Every structure is written in structure tokens, then in C-alpha cells.
Amino acid sequence: MAWRRVVPTRAISSSLTPFSTKSFSSSSPVTSAASATATTTTDCSDLSEPPTKPTLPTLRRSNDAELISKILLEHHNPFHAMESSLQLHGISLSSHLLHQTLLRLKHFSKIALSFFSWAMAQSQAQQAHFTPHIASFNLMIDILGKVRQFDVAWQFIVQMQSLNLKPESTTFLILIRRLISAGFTRQAIRAFDDMPCFVEEQASNEDFVYLLDTLCKYGYVKVAMEVFNKRKWNFEVGSKVYTVLIYGWCKVNRVDMGERLLREMVEKGIEPNVVTYNVLLNGICRRASLHPDDRFDWTIRNADTLFDEMREKGIEPDVTSYSIVLHVYSRAHKPDLTIEKLGAMKEKGICPSVATYTSAIKCLSSCGRLVEAERLLDEMVSNGVSPSAATYNCFFKEYRGRKDAENAINLYRKMKKVGSCTPDMHTYNILVGMFSKLNKMGMVKEIWDDMKANGAGPDLDSYTMLIHCLIEKQKWRNACEFFVEMIEKGFLPQKVTFETLYRGLIQANKLRTWRRLKKKLEEESISFGSEFEHYHLQPYRR
């Protein structure tokens, strides 16, 4: 292998970062990686009227933040105090610099927590020229919620009050979203009910819609209905609430319940709008079985019936409506009908959107008609529609199926050179998995370095995919090095990754190597840096 990461001696002897893996051990890396590389061209999150989402600071250019995060990622020992690895004395730490550094450390929760704790200590000691800001705590709560450290997140909410910072509804909405994504729906509802005690004002209608919307987006529509039925008397119930609930039922493939809610809202005098109908239309089309052809025809007839109902109510189908139907043609692998439908949209004066073009390109590329897909990509750009990462992913998936590493890396480099579209984690994971299996480790290194430089990752799926590929290639040294690295970065492996690595090392007669790794994972008595002693971190237990 032309490239490897050199793990310092201290990394082998140090113990595990104390984050829980309950969120990771339930699914296999194949499932996880597949979900990471999935491309949804018609996502209902774009269809429903999204409630006001909690806003966090956005990533901006900052040379100081780049320098600090780079030093931390490359040199910080997670088992010693922050000062031992980062000499920040003399740096003028501001709220902006703190936010930008945390954003660059969002995938490395333990290092982010260490840095944040150090910054708070500096502020309280009046050694920094800034005062703690609510946005800083919101960022940390989001980072910690991602790795299920909810006890620490609650500690920060309490700590905000001790610093005379009143938590905002945004703070709780961030926590609620992370709780629901982790499957803790009851705790999320309890946090919603407790919010007025901290925020000192009643939850707004937008907060209520956001709770329902988040529950529905993560598939907990029955819980959302329970919350709706119990609390609807305290909030204004309009088309937005019903649209969210209809989306929730359609997401779990219960279109009949969505239609029942549509009738209910009409009976109550609440007029559905184009977004409501698009959500229901997407529910009819998104999971419908399209083979054999009679099922495809049945789906198209139902879609046309809903189109007629919309027009009867004076609601004209928009670009999203047509994109949903076009996506059905794409899923059914009917490229000629897809192109015909795209042409019909243009004749009606409806400009295709990114999702529309992406659906058509996905259909063409998956049917092996890459030349036509590339021509459509050029048309898309000439019409002023910027391709998304999902658009490029259609090509990358086809190249992966063909094991065409050369065209994949050329398109990736062209994508970077144009600069109009930044690769997302799906893009990186598709390419890392593809090049790893083809033993193109030089290309893997290029993708991996770009992923780190862009701050996109690597994430749990990236590490899992790479480690499993290295195990398949019997590159034990590299597999163990990345296994250790992912643990140090705060990502704890799935159970199947342990088992696969264990079986591989035993079969390769490397029992001693496995024992050293196992000892590293089982040591829970290690004393962490002093900045962690006040936090109720959940230890990792197997």
C-alpha cells in the first residue's frame, strides 16, 4: 500500500474515548454505508412547508480557525489537558473564532468538547476577550447530541443559566431533534414540555409544528399523532400542521391515513394548498411497486387523478408536482418516457428544477445511457441550474457498478475544478468504498484528504467502509490504524466491525494484535484530562 497513517505510540496505549455506541451497534455497516450513499432525488423534506428551523452559525472562511482545528486534530492527545497539545496563549479568542473552530470539529466530539471547555475556562478566568454566547452552547449541544451525550447537553443548559444566559427555544429545538434522531421520542416530548420553564415563555405554534415535523421525518408519525391529539387545543392548527402529519403517514407508506387527514382538514374548513397535495402525491408515488407494468400504470393513473383534483380546486401543479411523477418514470427505468415527460414540462413553460434534472439523469445513467446523461447535465448547466452533489452521485454510482475508476476520478476532479458544487458525504463515501474495493489506495488517499480538508468528514460510515475494505484486502496494519483513529476521534465502531476485525485477525494468526486492541477498548479506568471531570460522559460498554 502506497500510503498509511503513522499512529504514534501513545495512541496505542491510550484508552477509548468515552462515548456510547448504543446508536451504532444496532445496524450493520452495509446498511449504514448504503444509507450514506443513497440519493433521494425527491425528498419530502423539500415538499412540506418546513417550520422555522433552529439556526446555528454557518461555516465561514477563517485562517485562525483552520489553524487551530488542524493543530487539534493532528496533535491533541484526548487523554491530557488541552494546554498540553495546543499552545493557545497569545491567541485572541473571540466568539466568531470559537464558533468557526467548533464547526470544523463537529465530527470530532471529544476534541470539540475539550476545546470548548478550555475556552469557557479562559473566559471565566478573564484571559479571553469574549463573553460566552448562546450560539456557542447551541453548537456544542448539537455536536454532543450527535453522539448521544444527552446528559452533558443538559448540563450545558443548566450551565447557561449559571452564566446568566437564558436558553432560547432554538437551544431546545436542537436538543429535541437530536433526541428524536436517536430514538428517544419520550425524552424529546418531555424536553418540549420543560422548555417554558427555561425559556420563560410558552412554546410557539412554530415550535409545536417543528416537534411534529421532526417526529414525522424520523418515522414516528404515531407519536406525532398522539402529541397532536393531546396538545392541539393549545395551538393554532392550520394547513401546515396537517401537511406535516400527512407527510408523516405517507413516509411510513400509509397513504390511506394521509388521505383521511386531507378529508378531515377540508371538513374543518382548512383549505389544502399545492404543498399539501405534493406531499400526498409523493406518498402515492415514492414507494409504489412499479413492476410489472400494470402496477406502474396504476401508480400513474392515481397520480393523474390527484392532478385532476388539484385543478378542480383551482390549484395548478407546479414543478415539484411534475418532478415527483417524473421520478416515478425514473424509478421504473423508463428513460424514453422520462425524457418525454421532461419535454412536456418545458412545453408547459415549467422550468425543470435540480431535482427534476437529477431524476432524469439518474434514470439515464442507471440504464447505461451515460452519453445522454452527460448531455442533459450540460443542458442543465446552460439553463442556469447548478447541479447538486446528488446529480453527480448518479454518475459515480454508475461508474462504481462498472468498476470504472478512471472516469470516476476524472469526474470528481472536474467537479472540484468547476467549484460550483461541493461533494457531500454521500459522494465521498461512494468513492472511498469504490476505490478501496478496487485497491486504488492512492485515489482513496486523495478523496480522504479532500474530505478532511473540506470539513465534511470522515464520519462513522467513512471509517466503517474503509476498515471493512482493508479487512477484505487483509491489510491488517492499516485496518488497525484506522480502527484506533476512529475511536480517538470519538466514533465508536459498530458491533459487526469488532467481530469482523476479530475474526480476520484470528484467522491471520494475529491474536496478540487483537488482544492489544481489546485491552484498549476495555480499559475504562483511564483518567481523562481535567476538562472532562465535571461532565457525566457515558462510558462505552460492550
Side-chain angles (χ1 to χ4, degrees), residues 223-449:
V223 180
M225 286 299 299
E226 182 183 331
V227 172
F228 170 72
N229 289 326
K230 285 183 178 179
R231 293 168 172 79
K232 62 184 176 181
W233 318 109
N234 302 323
F235 300 96
E236 180 185 345
V237 177
S239 62
K240 188 178 289 188
V241 172
Y242 275 102
T243 300
V244 164
L245 293 174
I246 291 171
Y247 160 70
W249 283 116
C250 291
K251 184 177 176 65
V252 296
N253 210 23
R254 289 294 306 275
V255 180
D256 58 322
M257 292 298 296
E259 291 172 340
R260 184 187 298 179
L261 280 174
L262 181 65
R263 290 194 297 269
E264 180 183 315
M265 68 183 291
V266 171
E267 288 169 2
K268 291 187 175 181
I270 301 172
E271 285 299 321
N273 53 31
V274 68
V275 180
T276 311
Y277 277 107
N278 283 344
V279 166
L280 190 58
L281 179 65
N282 196 56
I284 292 170
C285 297
R286 72 190 300 263
R287 289 191 178 180
S289 176
L290 303 179
H291 301 284
D293 281 347
D294 59 340
R295 293 184 179 178
F296 167 76
D297 294 336
W298 179 85
T299 302
I300 295 299
R301 281 198 303 272
N302 283 347
D304 289 340
T305 301
L306 196 62
F307 270 48
D308 293 339
E309 184 180 330
M310 291 172 69
R311 293 191 179 101
E312 285 175 8
K313 291 183 175 292
I315 300 171
E316 192 62 32
D318 61 4
V319 62
T320 305
S321 313
Y322 284 100
S323 296
I324 292 168
V325 177
L326 187 124
H327 187 55
V328 176
Y329 291 119
S330 174
R331 282 179 53 222
H333 298 290
K334 296 184 181 294
D336 295 328
L337 284 174
T338 300
I339 296 300
E340 184 182 324
K341 192 70 175 179
L342 190 64
M345 283 180 63
K346 296 174 186 174
E347 289 175 5
K348 289 178 178 290
I350 299 174
C351 242
S353 64
V354 180
T356 316
Y357 276 116
T358 301
S359 287
I361 289 171
K362 180 181 180 181
C363 180
L364 291 169
S365 58
S366 64
C367 292
R369 294 163 66 165
L370 282 175
V371 175
E372 292 175 74
E374 289 168 0
R375 195 180 302 130
L376 198 57
L377 180 66
D378 294 336
E379 177 193 315
M380 180 181 182
V381 174
S382 65
N383 288 341
V385 181
S386 297
S388 66
T391 312
Y392 284 100
N393 290 347
C394 298
F395 291 98
F396 290 131
K397 287 178 180 179
E398 180 60 21
Y399 290 138
R400 180 180 61 186
R402 298 183 178 196
K403 299 182 180 179
D404 189 350
E406 185 178 350
N407 277 324
I409 196 66
N410 288 340
L411 180 61
Y412 171 73
R413 288 167 181 165
K414 179 183 176 182
M415 183 182 180
K416 284 199 305 179
K417 186 177 180 181
V418 172
S420 61
C421 173
T422 304
D424 60 9
M425 279 308 303
H426 304 325
T427 310
Y428 289 122
N429 287 339
I430 291 170
L431 295 175
V432 166
M434 172 186 176
F435 295 143
S436 299
K437 288 182 179 179
L438 295 177
N439 206 25
K440 303 284 187 181
M441 301 314 293
M443 294 180 182
V444 173
K445 183 183 186 308
E446 179 182 341
I447 303 298
W448 198 267
D449 290 345

Side-chain angles (χ1 to χ4, degrees), residues 14-280:
S14 58
S15 179
L16 169 74
T17 48
F19 289 129
S20 171
T21 55
K22 293 178 182 177
S23 57
F24 305 139
S25 52
S26 60
S27 60
S28 70
V30 176
T31 304
S32 190
S35 66
T37 56
T39 303
T40 306
T41 56
T42 312
D43 186 358
C44 255
S45 61
D46 298 324
L47 300 176
S48 60
E49 291 179 307
T52 304
K53 294 185 177 180
T55 55
L56 289 167
T58 54
L59 192 67
R60 298 184 181 278
R61 187 177 182 84
S62 172
N63 293 332
D64 286 342
E66 291 284 353
L67 177 62
I68 292 173
S69 58
K70 185 177 180 181
I71 292 172
L72 284 171
L73 291 173
E74 292 182 358
H75 302 292
H76 177 49
N77 184 334
F79 307 104
H80 290 83
M82 177 63 66
E83 290 85 345
S84 66
S85 60
L86 181 60
Q87 300 299 322
L88 290 178
H89 300 292
I91 291 181
S92 180
L93 195 60
S94 63
S95 294
H96 174 74
L97 180 56
L98 175 61
H99 297 163
Q100 292 305 310
T101 306
L102 288 176
L103 286 168
R104 287 160 174 79
L105 297 173
K106 64 182 179 181
H107 296 294
F108 309 101
S109 49
K110 192 170 190 301
I111 298 177
L113 175 58
S114 180
F115 175 69
F116 182 77
S117 301
W118 180 87
M120 290 299 103
Q122 295 293 302
S123 173
Q124 291 174 17
Q126 297 183 343
Q127 295 180 15
H129 302 291
F130 81 100
T131 54
H133 194 273
I134 292 174
S136 311
F137 283 92
N138 289 348
L139 266 173
M140 274 312 305
I141 288 169
D142 187 56
I143 292 170
L144 291 167
K146 194 174 182 180
V147 291
R148 298 190 173 199
Q149 291 291 349
F150 297 115
D151 287 346
V152 186
W154 275 110
Q155 278 186 270
F156 276 135
I157 291 176
V158 174
Q159 185 180 347
M160 289 171 70
Q161 291 185 310
S162 67
L163 296 172
N164 293 323
L165 289 173
K166 186 173 70 173
E168 299 175 337
S169 60
T170 298
T171 309
F172 278 86
L173 296 181
I174 291 167
L175 178 62
I176 286 167
R177 180 168 66 90
R178 288 301 181 190
L179 282 165
I180 293 172
S181 69
F184 301 130
T185 55
R186 298 302 169 191
Q187 290 88 329
I189 295 167
R190 194 177 304 127
F192 181 81
D193 292 336
D194 290 342
M195 181 170 65
C197 300
F198 291 87
V199 179
E200 297 179 3
E201 60 183 34
Q202 291 300 314
S204 68
N205 203 64
E206 289 297 321
D207 297 335
F208 180 60
V209 175
Y210 184 81
L211 173 63
L212 297 177
D213 183 65
T214 309
L215 286 167
C216 289
K217 279 190 168 75
Y218 284 97
Y220 300 107
V221 64
K222 291 183 180 179
V223 180
M225 286 299 299
E226 182 183 331
V227 172
F228 170 72
N229 289 326
K230 285 183 178 179
R231 293 168 172 79
K232 62 184 176 181
W233 318 109
N234 302 323
F235 300 96
E236 180 185 345
V237 177
S239 62
K240 188 178 289 188
V241 172
Y242 275 102
T243 300
V244 164
L245 293 174
I246 291 171
Y247 160 70
W249 283 116
C250 291
K251 184 177 176 65
V252 296
N253 210 23
R254 289 294 306 275
V255 180
D256 58 322
M257 292 298 296
E259 291 172 340
R260 184 187 298 179
L261 280 174
L262 181 65
R263 290 194 297 269
E264 180 183 315
M265 68 183 291
V266 171
E267 288 169 2
K268 291 187 175 181
I270 301 172
E271 285 299 321
N273 53 31
V274 68
V275 180
T276 311
Y277 277 107
N278 283 344
V279 166
L280 190 58

